[in-house]
Amino acid sequence: MSIISKDIAKAVALLSAENVVAIPTETVYGLAGNIYSEKAIRTIFETKQRPFFNPLIVHIASTSCLDKIVAHIPKKAKLLAEAFWPGPITLVLKKKAVIPDVITAGKDTVAVRIPNHPVILELLNQLEFPLAAPSANPFNSISPTTAIHVETYFKDKIKMVLDGGPCKSGIESTIIGFENDEPIIYRLGSTSIEAIENVVGKVEIKNKKEIAPDAPGMLERHYAPTTKTILSDNIEDSILPYKNKRVGIITFKSSIINDTVEFQIALSKSGDLTEAASKLYNALHQLDALNLDIIIAEKFPDYGLGKSINDRLNRATKN
Ligand code: TXA
Ligand code: MG
């Protein structure tokens, strides 16, 4: 029997009994548990095979919950929360003692966001606790953007995927930490740098592997298909060495006319980066399932969500 269901009451019952449930958000599906249940949190780490040094994001229903879990909110964090919540931005803030160490990997900060999806907001409103939820994929693999992706990964290991349809944003939230109360981008994501800078002015990006201990979403190889994947400035040239191989292509707008290409996906025919971001992971899931010899992805324009797409493709193509 399928573990996919739209039954919010069932998700409430399971989560209240310290189980984990996969939940929809606007970015990717998450694997959620009660932040105060050590059993649920441990199950999340075990199910994902995620190392304990990699902390989780806490999902809350409204800003009124924020004061209960964080000790200090810098002015620019407040501005960002007002501008983007509910939405795909995660703020890393000084935590209060109520947040268990297992969620924050022993750090004195906690990552928190209000997701923008009616199903998880309804769920959070019915629960008496916030939800810790990493993306619902095994460690280092492609994040899920549909309930079926999650079921394919975890069918025997979890009791339920709460179905909220395909994720609208399709890549993870942008993560922002604060140093001396100034915002620093730790992970590029579904909220563009330009949109963030419109609210708080210039922000520094520390989206590098050397800050991996701070945000292991920044691990060099991450979000990766099992098929060898390369990133290319010029697809026509990159195809040449693969004449007798089975090749899959991901492009931004245009199709490639070439006999070598067995399967190709243009992420947005109209050239819309938001649409392309929303379809990126599904395209990687689709191509990865075909047992191809190689997936070649086109480099995206280096602005707006194009930057976030390139970031994920870069990590998907590291050996
Ligand atoms: O869109 C999203 O953010 C999705 C949905 C489910 O909300 N969640 C997600 O979670 O992407 P996850 O676990 O795959 O990525 C969380 C990232 C990790 O890179 C982790 O290192 C970072 O957040 N993080 C969590 N707590 C942190 C903290 N206290 N300091 C620095 N980074 C933190
Ligand atoms: Mg993840």
Side-chain angles (χ1 to χ4, degrees), residues 118-153:
V119 172
I120 186 181
L121 288 172
E122 177 58 33
L123 175 67
L124 285 167
N125 278 320
Q126 290 189 29
L127 292 169
E128 275 159 19
F129 44 82
L131 291 173
S135 51
N137 50 287
F139 188 59
N140 278 354
S141 52
I142 310 163
S143 299
T145 55
T146 66
I148 288 175
H149 293 159
V150 184
E151 184 179 46
T152 307
Y153 279 142

Side-chain angles (χ1 to χ4, degrees), residues 132-201:
S135 51
N137 50 287
F139 188 59
N140 278 354
S141 52
I142 310 163
S143 299
T145 55
T146 66
I148 288 175
H149 293 159
V150 184
E151 184 179 46
T152 307
Y153 279 142
F154 294 128
K155 63 173 144 296
D156 304 323
K157 301 205 177 83
I158 60 174
K159 295 197 166 80
M160 178 179 180
V161 185
L162 182 59
D163 190 1
C167 302
K168 290 214 166 71
S169 304
I171 50 180
E172 294 83 351
S173 60
T174 302
I175 300 182
I176 302 191
F178 294 85
E179 291 174 16
N180 302 318
D181 283 358
E182 285 301 311
I184 314 258
I185 295 185
Y186 286 161
R187 178 177 75 181
L188 295 170
S190 277
T191 303
S192 71
I193 301 170
E194 290 86 339
I196 289 164
E197 290 190 334
N198 271 338
V199 176
V200 290

Side-chain angles (χ1 to χ4, degrees), residues 27 50 54 57 59 109 113 134-135 172-173 175 187 214 216-217:
T27 58
R50 178 180 176 113
N54 194 352
I57 295 175
H59 297 71
T109 52
R113 80 181 191 101
S135 51
E172 294 83 351
S173 60
I175 300 182
R187 178 177 75 181
D214 276 321

Side-chain angles (χ1 to χ4, degrees), residues 226-241:
T226 51
T227 313
K228 180 178 161 66
T229 303
I230 59 174
L231 191 54
S232 165
D233 281 324
N234 183 329
I235 296 232
E236 305 274 1
D237 282 355
S238 299
I239 295 170
L240 292 175

Side-chain angles (χ1 to χ4, degrees), residues 249-280:
I249 300 285
I250 294 178
T251 57
F252 180 19
K253 298 182 260 201
S254 50
S255 312
I256 308 288
I257 313 293
N258 185 314
D259 286 348
T260 314
V261 178
E262 180 156 328
F263 205 98
Q264 59 179 304
I265 300 174
L267 293 181
S268 172
K269 297 223 155 66
S270 65
D272 176 353
L273 287 167
T274 305
E275 182 188 15
S278 76
K279 294 185 172 164
L280 174 68

